[in-house]
Amino acid sequence: LFYCCTCRTRHFWMQLAGPKSVSCEAICCGVPTDFLLTAYSNRIFVVITQTGNMGTLIHAQRDNPIEEGSGNFSTRVLLGRRDDETLEVYARTLIELISKRTALPLLLAISIREHSTEMFRAVLREVDTHKVW
């Protein structure tokens, strides 16, 4: 709550109440890629899509969030392609990036058309540029 200077009444500061979210589109290796990054109170939700759908849903977290120096992370495919280990590499790398600043787990929805080292780097660079955590 805060007091308004003009009408001298109390108002709720609505911007503090909701999740912080960033949405953008970038060209990664010549492919249009949509990004949605949202920081909820209990997790970070990231959508990366080149196909217009959410694709595979992966949960990733630090195994022991109390130990900040711990390098143990786990990933689990909740829905979608379980045979594509590259998608889990995206999740693992993103949770490593996120865990440098917060202990929140990651929920990743990802649909990438082609897998390459250049694509991987371009996607991670874009996420790091627009991080919400």
Side-chain angles (χ1 to χ4, degrees), residues 56-59 75-84 87-88:
T56 301
L57 197 60
I58 303 171
H59 180 266
T75 62
R76 184 172 37 127
V77 176
L78 302 176
L79 184 69
R81 297 185 57 186
R82 297 181 191 281
D83 61 334
D84 193 348
L87 299 178
E88 290 190 66

Side-chain angles (χ1 to χ4, degrees), residues 20 37-39 44-46 94 97-102 104 106 127-128 130-133:
K20 184 177 178 184
L37 295 88
T38 306
I44 304 294
F45 180 51
V46 176
L94 284 174
L97 183 67
I98 290 168
S99 68
K100 291 177 182 177
R101 299 192 64 193
T102 183
L104 294 175
L106 166 69
V127 170
D128 193 39
H130 297 97
K131 59 187 167 208
V132 294
W133 51 89

Side-chain angles (χ1 to χ4, degrees), residues 48 85-95 106 108 110 112 114-116 119-121 123-124:
I48 304 168
E85 293 177 358
T86 308
L87 299 178
E88 290 190 66
V89 172
Y90 277 92
R92 168 146 177 123
T93 307
L94 284 174
I95 191 62
L106 166 69
L108 173 65
I110 186 166
I112 300 288
E114 74 171 69
H115 299 296
S116 68
M119 179 68 74
F120 180 75
R121 288 184 183 141
V123 166
L124 290 180

Side-chain angles (χ1 to χ4, degrees), residues 3-51:
Y3 283 98
C4 180
C5 297
T6 55
C7 66
R8 300 221 180 259
T9 58
R10 291 188 295 175
H11 297 282
F12 289 101
W13 187 258
M14 298 306 288
Q15 189 173 359
L16 297 176
K20 184 177 178 184
S21 188
V22 173
S23 170
C24 67
E25 181 182 72
I27 304 298
C28 296
C29 297
V31 181
T33 308
D34 295 315
F35 296 87
L36 174 66
L37 295 88
T38 306
Y40 293 99
S41 61
N42 63 344
R43 75 187 67 247
I44 304 294
F45 180 51
V46 176
V47 178
I48 304 168
T49 183
Q50 295 175 336
T51 62

